[in-house]
Amino acid sequence: MKQWIAAVVLGLAGLAPCHAHEMEANRATLVLRDGGHLALTLYLDYAAALHQALAPGRPFEEFMLTHATMPAAQFQQALDGAHRKFEQGTRATLKAGLPVAFRGWQWPAAAQVQQKLRERAMLLVRTQGGHSHEAPLEVRAELAAGEDFHSLRMQFPAEFRDVLVVSYRPAQVWVKPDQASPAVVF
């Protein structure tokens, strides 16, 4: 009996609440909709990507402190240049090598980015160069190929490092009240 109780207690101990840890890798989610419309959502270690784009030869801590204290107009210029570089380096190619461009990029505001850099720089100073992890920043863009397609190849800027690509085409079905849906297949 005592062994059974011990097994239950140990089993329940494994069910204790735990905090989910966001995957730290850069990720891209591609959602293909009808008519050749593709939605791209990037989840980036944005500070690391900016470091690689704006000051790859400098130590990360130096980059953080320099850009966190930069005048707003100068920071906006640097950020605009990095965004252009990221947009040009993010490429989609359809069959037969036909390139298609993403449009409608939604980047965070420069003031928001600089404030995040300030916060992270203060954390770096406080922990004396220790590792500081920040939630990934979300960036969105759209692609309209003008025709349906079933495959494409993606390429990302070197500043993003490795990118995990998750892709899917959603399936939709109406469900009548008080009726079960058709089988939902994943």
Side-chain angles (χ1 to χ4, degrees):
M1 178 73 167
K2 287 183 183 180
Q3 290 175 338
W4 181 80
I5 293 173
V8 170
V9 169
L10 286 174
L12 290 175
L15 297 176
C18 62
H19 301 285
H21 185 32
E22 187 81 25
M23 180 190 271
E24 290 186 35
N26 289 327
R27 299 181 317 277
T29 300
L30 302 170
V31 181
L32 180 61
R33 304 195 191 289
D34 291 334
H37 178 254
L38 186 74
L40 166 68
T41 305
L42 294 168
Y43 301 93
L44 301 172
D45 180 346
Y46 197 58
L50 286 176
H51 173 234
Q52 292 301 309
L54 300 175
R58 292 187 185 163
F60 183 70
E61 293 80 9
E62 183 182 328
F63 157 77
M64 292 292 290
L65 293 172
T66 301
H67 286 78
T69 58
M70 192 177 274
Q74 187 180 355
F75 182 75
Q76 179 72 59
Q77 264 188 320
L79 197 59
D80 289 345
H83 290 169
R84 278 191 302 277
K85 191 173 193 178
F86 295 158
E87 289 173 16
Q88 290 169 356
T90 303
R91 298 185 192 111
T93 307
L94 298 178
K95 62 184 174 197
L98 177 67
V100 285
F102 285 95
R103 305 262 186 247
W105 287 89
Q106 297 174 7
W107 296 100
Q112 175 191 1
V113 172
Q114 194 169 33
Q115 180 59 36
K116 289 289 186 188
L117 291 180
R118 286 181 185 129
E119 291 168 8
R120 195 159 172 189
M122 286 190 300
L123 187 61
L124 282 171
V125 169
R126 197 171 62 223
T127 60
Q128 297 177 356
H131 176 69
S132 68
H133 171 68
E134 188 171 304
L137 187 124
E138 190 173 308
V139 177
R140 296 180 181 271
E142 305 283 326
L143 180 150
E147 62 182 63
D148 281 339
F149 59 89
H150 300 287
S151 69
L152 60 78
R153 292 188 183 275
M154 289 296 304
Q155 184 174 353
F156 298 98
E159 293 83 4
F160 289 2
R161 311 273 173 136
D162 291 343
V163 178
L164 174 67
V165 176
V166 178
S167 60
Y168 61 95
R169 185 172 197 151
Q172 302 179 81
V173 62
W174 285 100
V175 179
K176 300 277 187 201
D178 297 326
Q179 293 183 6
S181 73
V184 176
V185 180
F186 295 96

